[in-house]
Amino acid sequence: MNNIMSVIFASDNETKLNDLTLHRTTASLPFCGRYRFIDFTLSNLVNSGITRIGIMTRSNYSSLMDHIRMGRDWDLNRKNSGIAVFPPYASNTSRNFKGKIEALYGILDYMEWAQEDYIVLTNSNVAVNLDFDDVYARHMETGADITMLTYRAKPKDSRRLLVETDKNGKVIDSRITQMSDDRVCQIGLNIYLLRKDLCMRLVADCYEHGGVDWEKNVIQQKGDQLHICAYEVPGHAAIIDDIQSYFTESMRILDPQVRNDLFYRFGKVYTKVKDSMPTIYRAGAQVRNSLIADGCTINGCVENSILFRGVTVEEGAVIRDSIVMENGTICKNCQLSYVITDKDVTITDNKTISGFGTYPLVIAKNKTI
């Protein structure tokens, strides 16, 4: 798919992720034991032959730069095409861009210089395994101006873009939710395919009229002027933009069917390689229905949980329905349930910490409790 380039937005609304994005951008948030959010987007693009990729940053992006390096782990360290990372400043100013329109306006020269005729615009907080070859084929078949990717789910969070389509998949209405809904709806994934020249015209026009938001100023306001079609993705898909969705979608990965669909449906998911030793399970270790990354040492009980690299679980410690990120230490006789600990967290002896399935407790990076 050498005729498509892509622009990835490394962050959108990070305030809803609270302590998990104090020191990092959304794109570099750890997920599923050894991955970062951006790994899924980069892998989908590379597996589909899309190798010219621009990344729009906003804040706290040093961890993202460290993770992607020069793109070697995704075969993107190339003389031609490859990864380009853009600073978060609006055009000709020293302030951060306000929205996707303003961000894209600042890189119009980069888009114009690129040789590709089509562009994929995507957020980085989407967990999905995609074949963009099929998306492109559908785009050409329908003759759409914009193909927007969707999935079906109950919109449990606000700010979801709900779309209605006719029998041919043409989008006839779209609205942004203000509250949760128990009905299964067609929800936009914030991934779009369109011609690059059309994208540039839309961006310039919206920017000159004061628009900053792609979904509001293009998809909604210009929907009656454009032929927008929906492509409903097959298999598992999720948008993760707050603590509850992060916890819920992480726990869903413990289901083998969901896990295989997300990691292998159309191609493998690649990430930064680390040469860690295998996990050590001591004589007293008990592990049930959990994902354990390499480099861990398990002496206690782990159940329905996800442990990242280098986690230590000491004797008598019990971890249930929780997520322990890299280099965490859970000391003797601790009890954790419905807890998310960020990197380098230490829980000292004999502590009991518990949240709820609907309100998991987050412990920020580098804390000792």
Side-chain angles (χ1 to χ4, degrees), residues 66-291:
D66 176 69
H67 180 69
I68 62 176
R69 296 180 284 192
M70 296 299 294
R72 182 181 62 193
D73 298 295
W74 299 268
D75 191 28
L76 289 170
N77 53 334
R78 310 166 171 234
K79 291 183 178 179
N80 297 316
S81 66
I83 289 178
V85 180
F86 297 100
Y89 305 114
S91 181
N92 298 320
T93 72
S94 58
R95 63 171 176 81
N96 284 16
F97 58 79
K98 293 180 179 179
K100 294 177 182 177
I101 295 293
E102 196 168 37
L104 291 169
Y105 187 82
I107 62 166
L108 286 179
D109 288 345
Y110 168 75
M111 294 166 62
E112 184 175 14
W113 170 81
Q115 299 175 354
E116 291 79 5
D117 294 324
Y118 291 84
I119 187 169
V120 168
L121 305 178
T122 175
N123 284 4
S124 60
N125 62 334
V126 181
V128 66
N129 196 310
L130 282 175
D131 179 9
F132 280 105
D133 290 337
D134 195 48
V135 178
Y136 178 77
R138 175 65 185 276
H139 183 79
M140 301 304 292
E141 177 187 344
T142 59
D145 294 318
I146 300 175
T147 295
M148 61 181 299
L149 277 61
T150 65
Y151 71 114
R152 290 194 178 273
K154 296 179 181 179
K156 292 296 185 181
D157 303 285
S158 62
R159 299 295 298 172
R160 293 288 189 263
L161 180 66
L162 306 188
V163 300
E164 295 183 19
T165 60
D166 62 19
K167 62 181 181 180
N168 297 317
K170 185 179 186 297
V171 175
I172 56 177
D173 190 27
S174 62
R175 60 188 176 90
I176 297 174
T177 60
Q178 300 302 316
M179 61 186 67
S180 62
D181 197 326
D182 287 330
R183 297 173 299 170
V184 175
C185 304
Q186 194 169 10
I187 304 173
L189 272 172
N190 301 313
I191 304 175
Y192 307 91
L193 172 66
L194 66 161
R195 284 193 62 87
K196 186 183 66 176
D197 55 358
L198 173 61
C199 179
M200 296 171 65
R201 290 200 304 271
L202 290 171
V203 166
D205 180 67
C206 288
Y207 183 79
E208 290 164 1
H209 287 86
V212 297
D213 186 272
W214 177 269
E215 280 73 28
K216 178 181 179 181
N217 299 119
V218 174
I219 301 302
Q220 288 190 297
Q221 293 183 358
K222 295 183 179 294
D224 57 346
Q225 306 169 31
L226 298 167
H227 182 198
I228 303 176
C229 286
Y231 175 95
E232 188 173 332
V233 302
H236 177 77
I239 298 173
I240 302 168
D241 59 0
D242 60 13
I243 297 298
Q244 184 59 56
S245 60
Y246 178 84
F247 181 80
T248 300
E249 293 304 326
S250 295
M251 292 298 105
R252 289 186 69 188
I253 302 301
L254 297 177
D255 181 338
Q257 182 175 345
V258 173
R259 188 164 63 247
N260 290 333
D261 194 78
L262 179 58
F263 286 96
Y264 303 107
R265 186 177 186 92
F266 293 113
K268 293 182 179 180
V269 178
Y270 304 97
T271 189
K272 180 181 178 180
V273 175
K274 292 185 178 180
D275 297 323
S276 302
M277 60 183 286
T279 287
I280 299 172
Y281 298 89
R282 302 293 188 189
Q286 299 179 47
V287 178
R288 303 183 187 92
N289 190 39
S290 297
L291 287 180

